[in-house]
C-alpha cells in the first residue's frame, strides 16, 4: 500500500522557519522524483520544489533562495526546509511522488499539511 505522510506544518511568524517531512512507503522511493506542491485558499495547486532520484533540484521562482528540498533515500523521506517565510507562503503543502516511463506514469500524493505564516 502506497503512503506519503507529511508532517511538520504549523503556525509560524513572518521571517520564521519550518521543516516539512514526507515519509514514503509502498514503492521504490529512490527512483521516484519527489516534489512539494502547495495550494492556498482560492488558488490552484502549484509546484514549490522538486528533486529527482539522483538529487537534481528545481524550485518555483517565488521560493528560490528561501526554500530547500532534500531527500534521504535510506529513510524514504523527502524534506522541505523553509526559511524567511512570508504570509503568502500560507497554504496546504502536499508531497508528491512521480515516476514516468515510456510505458506508464505513476503518481502519488500525500494528504497535505497546513502551513500558516502570520503574526
Amino acid at each position: 500500500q502506497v503512503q506519503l505522510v507529511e508532517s511538520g506544518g504549523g503556525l509560524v511568524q513572518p521571517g520564521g522557519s519550518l521543516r516539512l517531512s514526507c515519509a514514503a512507503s509502498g514503492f521504490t522511493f529512490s527512483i521516484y522524483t519527489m516534489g512539494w506542491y502547495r495550494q492556498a485558499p482560492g488558488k490552484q495547486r502549484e509546484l514549490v520544489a522538486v528533486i529527482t532520484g539522483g538529487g537534481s533540484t528545481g524550485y518555483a521562482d517565488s521560493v528560490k533562495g528561501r526554500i530547500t528540498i532534500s531527500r534521504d533515500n535510506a529513510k524514504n523521506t523527502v524534506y522541505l526546509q523553509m526559511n524567511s517565510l512570508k504570509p503568502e507562503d500560507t497554504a496546504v503543502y502536499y508531497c508528491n511522488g512521480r515516476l514516468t516511463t515510456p510505458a506508464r506514469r505513476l503518481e502519488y500524493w500525500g494528504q497535505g499539511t497546513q502551513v500558516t505564516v502570520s503574526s
Side-chain angles (χ1 to χ4, degrees):
Q1 180 183 1
V2 172
Q3 280 192 309
L4 292 174
V5 180
E6 300 101 333
S7 60
L11 173 64
V12 63
Q13 292 187 341
S17 298
L18 279 177
R19 189 194 197 203
L20 305 183
S21 300
C22 172
S25 60
F27 62 97
T28 308
F29 177 81
S30 62
I31 65 172
Y32 275 65
T33 293
M34 301 300 297
W36 286 94
Y37 290 71
R38 67 187 181 187
Q39 188 166 18
K43 295 188 176 181
Q44 290 188 330
R45 190 173 297 189
E46 62 175 2
L47 175 67
V48 177
V50 64
I51 185 167
T52 68
S56 297
T57 58
Y59 297 91
D61 287 342
S62 60
V63 306
K64 282 181 180 177
R66 301 187 297 117
I67 288 179
T68 302
I69 189 171
S70 61
R71 67 191 295 162
D72 186 336
N73 288 339
K75 295 182 178 180
N76 286 1
T77 301
V78 60
Y79 305 97
L80 192 71
Q81 177 66 45
M82 303 189 292
N83 302 323
S84 302
L85 283 163
K86 305 175 181 180
E88 50 263 44
D89 294 317
T90 296
V92 178
Y93 283 71
Y94 296 92
C95 179
N96 171 271
R98 185 178 76 246
L99 178 66
T100 302
T101 72
R104 62 194 303 191
R105 176 185 173 97
L106 298 170
E107 188 167 31
Y108 309 117
W109 291 93
Q111 81 288 351
T113 185
Q114 177 70 47
V115 171
T116 302
V117 184
S118 175
S119 55

